[in-house]
Coordinates of all heavy atoms in Angstrom, one line a residue:
Chain A
I327 N 24.1 -61.4 -6.5 CA 24.4 -61.6 -5.0 C 25.4 -62.8 -4.9 O 25.5 -63.6 -5.8 CB 23.0 -62.0 -4.3 CG1 23.2 -62.0 -2.8 CG2 22.5 -63.4 -4.8 CD1 21.9 -62.1 -2.1
D328 N 26.1 -62.7 -3.8 CA 27.1 -63.8 -3.5 C 26.9 -64.4 -2.1 O 26.2 -63.8 -1.3 CB 28.5 -63.2 -3.7 CG 28.8 -62.1 -2.7 OD1 27.9 -61.7 -2.0 OD2 30.0 -61.5 -2.8
I329 N 27.5 -65.5 -1.9 CA 27.5 -66.1 -0.6 C 28.7 -66.9 -0.3 O 29.2 -67.6 -1.3 CB 26.2 -67.0 -0.4 CG1 26.0 -67.5 1.0 CG2 26.2 -68.2 -1.4 CD1 24.7 -68.1 1.3
R330 N 29.2 -66.9 0.9 CA 30.4 -67.6 1.2 C 30.0 -68.9 1.9 O 28.9 -69.0 2.4 CB 31.3 -66.8 2.1 CG 31.9 -65.6 1.4 CD 33.1 -65.0 2.0 NE 33.6 -63.9 1.3 CZ 34.4 -64.0 0.2 NH1 34.8 -65.2 -0.2 NH2 34.8 -62.9 -0.4
S331 N 30.9 -69.9 1.9 CA 30.5 -71.2 2.3 C 30.3 -71.3 3.8 O 29.7 -72.3 4.3 CB 31.6 -72.2 1.9 OG 32.8 -71.9 2.5
N332 N 30.6 -70.3 4.6 CA 30.4 -70.3 6.0 C 28.9 -69.8 6.3 O 28.6 -69.6 7.5 CB 31.4 -69.5 6.8 CG 31.5 -68.0 6.4 OD1 30.8 -67.6 5.4 ND2 32.3 -67.3 7.1
M333 N 28.2 -69.5 5.3 CA 26.8 -69.1 5.4 C 25.9 -70.1 4.7 O 26.3 -70.7 3.8 CB 26.6 -67.7 4.8 CG 27.6 -66.6 5.4 SD 27.5 -65.1 4.5 CE 25.9 -64.5 4.9
D334 N 24.6 -70.1 5.1 CA 23.7 -70.9 4.4 C 22.5 -70.1 3.8 O 21.7 -70.6 3.0 CB 23.1 -72.0 5.3 CG 22.5 -71.5 6.6 OD1 22.2 -70.3 6.6 OD2 22.4 -72.3 7.5
K335 N 22.5 -68.8 4.1 CA 21.5 -67.9 3.5 C 22.0 -66.5 3.5 O 22.7 -66.0 4.4 CB 20.3 -68.0 4.4 CG 19.1 -67.1 3.9 CD 17.9 -67.3 4.9 CE 16.7 -66.5 4.4 NZ 15.5 -66.7 5.3
R336 N 21.7 -65.8 2.4 CA 22.0 -64.4 2.4 C 20.9 -63.7 1.6 O 20.4 -64.2 0.6 CB 23.3 -64.2 1.7 CG 23.8 -62.7 1.8 CD 25.3 -62.5 1.4 NE 25.7 -61.2 1.7 CZ 26.6 -60.5 1.0 NH1 27.1 -61.0 -0.1 NH2 26.9 -59.3 1.4
Q337 N 20.5 -62.5 2.1 CA 19.4 -61.8 1.5 C 19.9 -60.5 0.9 O 20.7 -59.8 1.5 CB 18.3 -61.5 2.5 CG 17.5 -62.8 2.9 CD 16.4 -62.5 3.8 OE1 16.6 -62.1 5.0 NE2 15.2 -62.6 3.3
G338 N 19.3 -60.2 -0.3 CA 19.5 -58.8 -0.9 C 18.2 -58.2 -1.1 O 17.2 -58.5 -0.5
Q339 N 18.2 -57.3 -2.0 CA 16.9 -56.6 -2.3 C 16.1 -57.5 -3.2 O 16.4 -57.7 -4.4 CB 17.2 -55.3 -3.0 CG 15.9 -54.4 -3.2 CD 16.3 -53.1 -3.8 OE1 17.3 -52.9 -4.3 NE2 15.3 -52.1 -3.7
R340 N 15.0 -58.1 -2.8 CA 14.1 -59.0 -3.5 C 14.8 -60.3 -3.8 O 14.1 -61.2 -4.4 CB 13.6 -58.4 -4.8 CG 12.4 -57.4 -4.6 CD 11.6 -57.3 -5.9 NE 12.4 -57.0 -7.1 CZ 12.5 -57.7 -8.1 NH1 11.8 -58.9 -8.2 NH2 13.2 -57.4 -9.2
V341 N 16.0 -60.5 -3.5 CA 16.7 -61.8 -3.8 C 17.2 -62.4 -2.5 O 17.7 -61.7 -1.6 CB 17.8 -61.7 -4.9 CG1 17.2 -61.3 -6.2 CG2 18.8 -60.7 -4.4
T342 N 17.2 -63.8 -2.5 CA 17.8 -64.5 -1.4 C 18.5 -65.7 -2.0 O 18.0 -66.4 -2.9 CB 16.7 -65.1 -0.5 OG1 15.9 -64.0 0.1 CG2 17.3 -65.9 0.7
V343 N 19.7 -65.9 -1.5 CA 20.5 -67.1 -2.0 C 20.6 -68.1 -0.8 O 20.8 -67.7 0.3 CB 21.9 -66.7 -2.5 CG1 22.7 -65.9 -1.5 CG2 22.6 -67.9 -3.0
L344 N 20.3 -69.3 -1.1 CA 20.4 -70.4 -0.1 C 21.5 -71.4 -0.6 O 21.6 -71.7 -1.7 CB 19.1 -71.2 0.0 CG 17.9 -70.3 0.5 CD1 16.6 -71.2 0.5 CD2 18.1 -69.7 1.8
L345 N 22.3 -71.8 0.4 CA 23.4 -72.7 0.1 C 23.3 -73.9 1.0 O 23.2 -73.9 2.2 CB 24.7 -72.0 0.4 CG 26.0 -72.9 0.2 CD1 26.2 -73.4 -1.2 CD2 27.2 -72.1 0.7
N346 N 23.3 -75.1 0.3 CA 23.3 -76.4 1.1 C 24.5 -77.1 0.6 O 24.6 -77.8 -0.4 CB 22.0 -77.2 0.7 CG 21.9 -78.5 1.5 OD1 22.9 -79.1 1.9 ND2 20.7 -78.9 1.7
K347 N 25.6 -77.1 1.5 CA 26.8 -77.7 1.2 C 26.8 -79.2 1.2 O 27.6 -79.8 0.6 CB 27.9 -77.1 2.1 CG 28.2 -75.6 1.9 CD 29.2 -75.1 2.9 CE 28.8 -75.1 4.3 NZ 27.7 -74.1 4.6
T348 N 25.9 -79.7 2.0 CA 25.8 -81.2 2.1 C 25.5 -81.8 0.8 O 26.1 -82.8 0.5 CB 24.7 -81.5 3.2 OG1 25.0 -80.9 4.4 CG2 24.6 -83.0 3.3
V349 N 24.6 -81.2 0.1 CA 24.2 -81.8 -1.2 C 24.7 -80.9 -2.4 O 24.3 -81.1 -3.5 CB 22.7 -81.9 -1.3 CG1 22.2 -83.0 -0.3 CG2 22.0 -80.6 -1.1
K350 N 25.6 -80.0 -2.1 CA 26.2 -79.1 -3.1 C 25.1 -78.5 -4.0 O 25.1 -78.6 -5.2 CB 27.2 -79.9 -3.9 CG 28.4 -80.3 -3.1 CD 29.6 -80.8 -3.9 CE 29.3 -82.2 -4.4 NZ 30.4 -82.9 -5.1
H351 N 24.2 -77.7 -3.3 CA 23.1 -77.1 -4.0 C 23.0 -75.7 -3.6 O 23.1 -75.3 -2.4 CB 21.8 -77.9 -3.7 CG 20.6 -77.4 -4.4 ND1 19.8 -76.4 -3.9 CD2 20.1 -77.7 -5.6 CE1 18.8 -76.2 -4.7 NE2 19.0 -77.0 -5.8
L352 N 22.7 -74.9 -4.6 CA 22.5 -73.4 -4.5 C 21.2 -73.0 -5.1 O 20.8 -73.6 -6.1 CB 23.7 -72.8 -5.2 CG 24.1 -71.4 -5.0 CD1 24.6 -71.1 -3.6 CD2 25.2 -71.0 -6.0
S353 N 20.5 -72.1 -4.4 CA 19.3 -71.6 -5.1 C 19.2 -70.1 -5.0 O 19.8 -69.5 -4.0 CB 18.1 -72.3 -4.4 OG 17.9 -71.8 -3.1
L354 N 18.5 -69.5 -5.9 CA 18.3 -68.1 -6.0 C 16.8 -67.9 -5.9 O 16.0 -68.4 -6.8 CB 18.8 -67.5 -7.2 CG 18.6 -66.0 -7.4 CD1 19.4 -65.2 -6.4 CD2 18.9 -65.5 -8.8
Q355 N 16.3 -67.2 -4.9 CA 14.9 -66.9 -4.8 C 14.7 -65.4 -5.1 O 15.3 -64.5 -4.6 CB 14.4 -67.2 -3.4 CG 14.6 -68.7 -3.0 CD 14.1 -69.0 -1.6 OE1 13.6 -68.1 -0.9 NE2 14.2 -70.2 -1.2
I356 N 13.7 -65.2 -6.0 CA 13.4 -63.8 -6.4 C 11.9 -63.5 -6.0 O 11.0 -64.3 -6.4 CB 13.5 -63.6 -7.9 CG1 14.9 -63.9 -8.4 CG2 13.2 -62.1 -8.3 CD1 15.1 -63.9 -9.9
A357 N 11.8 -62.6 -5.1 CA 10.4 -62.3 -4.6 C 9.7 -61.3 -5.5 O 10.3 -60.4 -6.1 CB 10.5 -61.6 -3.2
A358 N 8.4 -61.5 -5.7 CA 7.6 -60.6 -6.5 C 8.2 -60.3 -7.8 O 8.5 -59.2 -8.2 CB 7.3 -59.3 -5.7
T359 N 8.4 -61.4 -8.6 CA 9.1 -61.4 -9.9 C 8.4 -60.4 -10.8 O 7.2 -60.3 -10.9 CB 9.1 -62.7 -10.5 OG1 9.5 -63.7 -9.5 CG2 10.2 -62.8 -11.6
Q360 N 9.3 -59.6 -11.5 CA 8.8 -58.6 -12.4 C 9.2 -58.9 -13.8 O 10.2 -59.6 -14.0 CB 9.4 -57.2 -12.0 CG 9.0 -56.8 -10.6 CD 9.9 -55.6 -10.1 OE1 10.7 -55.1 -10.8 NE2 9.6 -55.2 -8.8
P361 N 8.6 -58.4 -14.8 CA 9.0 -58.6 -16.2 C 10.5 -58.3 -16.5 O 11.1 -59.0 -17.3 CB 8.1 -57.7 -17.0 CG 6.8 -57.6 -16.2 CD 7.3 -57.6 -14.8
G362 N 11.0 -57.3 -15.8 CA 12.4 -56.9 -15.9 C 13.4 -58.0 -15.4 O 14.6 -57.9 -15.6
D363 N 12.8 -59.0 -14.7 CA 13.7 -60.1 -14.2 C 13.9 -61.1 -15.2 O 14.7 -62.0 -15.0 CB 13.0 -60.7 -12.9 CG 12.9 -59.7 -11.7 OD1 13.9 -58.9 -11.6 OD2 12.0 -59.8 -11.0
S364 N 13.2 -61.1 -16.3 CA 13.3 -62.1 -17.4 C 14.8 -62.0 -17.9 O 15.2 -60.9 -18.3 CB 12.4 -61.8 -18.5 OG 11.0 -62.0 -18.1
A365 N 15.5 -63.1 -17.8 CA 16.9 -63.2 -18.2 C 17.4 -64.6 -18.1 O 16.6 -65.5 -17.7 CB 17.7 -62.2 -17.3
V366 N 18.6 -64.8 -18.4 CA 19.3 -66.1 -18.1 C 20.1 -65.9 -16.8 O 20.8 -64.9 -16.6 CB 20.2 -66.5 -19.2 CG1 20.9 -67.8 -18.8 CG2 19.5 -66.7 -20.5
Y367 N 19.9 -66.8 -15.8 CA 20.6 -66.7 -14.5 C 21.6 -67.8 -14.4 O 21.4 -69.0 -14.7 CB 19.6 -66.8 -13.4 CG 18.7 -65.6 -13.3 CD1 17.6 -65.4 -14.2 CD2 19.0 -64.6 -12.4 CE1 16.8 -64.3 -14.1 CE2 18.2 -63.4 -12.3 CZ 17.1 -63.3 -13.2 OH 16.3 -62.2 -13.1
F368 N 22.8 -67.4 -14.1 CA 24.0 -68.3 -13.9 C 24.4 -68.3 -12.5 O 24.5 -67.3 -11.8 CB 25.2 -67.8 -14.7 CG 25.0 -67.9 -16.2 CD1 24.5 -66.8 -16.9 CD2 25.2 -69.0 -16.9 CE1 24.3 -66.8 -18.3 CE2 25.0 -69.1 -18.3 CZ 24.6 -67.9 -19.0
C369 N 24.7 -69.6 -12.0 CA 25.5 -69.6 -10.7 C 26.9 -69.8 -11.1 O 27.3 -70.3 -12.2 CB 25.0 -70.8 -9.9 SG 25.2 -72.4 -10.6
A370 N 27.8 -69.4 -10.2 CA 29.2 -69.5 -10.4 C 29.9 -69.9 -9.1 O 29.4 -69.5 -8.0 CB 29.8 -68.2 -11.0
E371 N 30.9 -70.7 -9.2 CA 31.6 -71.1 -8.0 C 33.1 -70.9 -8.1 O 33.7 -70.8 -9.2 CB 31.4 -72.6 -7.8 CG 31.9 -73.5 -8.9 CD 31.6 -75.0 -8.7 OE1 32.1 -75.6 -7.8 OE2 30.8 -75.5 -9.5
I372 N 33.8 -70.8 -6.9 CA 35.2 -70.6 -6.9 C 35.7 -71.1 -5.6 O 35.1 -71.0 -4.6 CB 35.6 -69.1 -7.1 CG1 37.1 -68.9 -7.2 CG2 35.0 -68.2 -6.0 CD1 37.5 -67.5 -7.6
N373 N 37.0 -71.6 -5.6 CA 37.7 -71.8 -4.4 C 38.5 -70.6 -4.2 O 39.6 -70.4 -4.7 CB 38.6 -73.0 -4.6 CG 39.4 -73.3 -3.3 OD1 39.4 -72.5 -2.4 ND2 40.1 -74.4 -3.3
A374 N 38.0 -69.6 -3.4 CA 38.6 -68.3 -3.3 C 39.9 -68.3 -2.5 O 40.7 -67.5 -2.7 CB 37.6 -67.4 -2.6
G375 N 40.1 -69.4 -1.8 CA 41.3 -69.5 -1.0 C 42.4 -70.2 -1.7 O 43.5 -70.3 -1.2

Side-chain angles (χ1 to χ4, degrees):
Chain A
I327 191 168
D328 59 359
I329 188 168
R330 298 201 177 273
S331 59
N332 60 354
M333 304 171 69
D334 53 21
K335 180 179 180 180
R336 190 169 188 212
Q337 288 185 292
Q339 188 175 17
R340 279 202 308 119
V341 295
T342 301
V343 55
L344 299 178
L345 175 63
N346 185 331
K347 296 181 289 295
T348 301
V349 295
K350 293 191 285 188
H351 184 268
L352 196 66
S353 68
L354 177 71
Q355 300 178 0
I356 305 173
T359 315
Q360 303 168 0
D363 294 326
S364 294
V366 179
Y367 289 81
F368 294 94
C369 65
E371 60 182 294
I372 186 173
N373 180 354

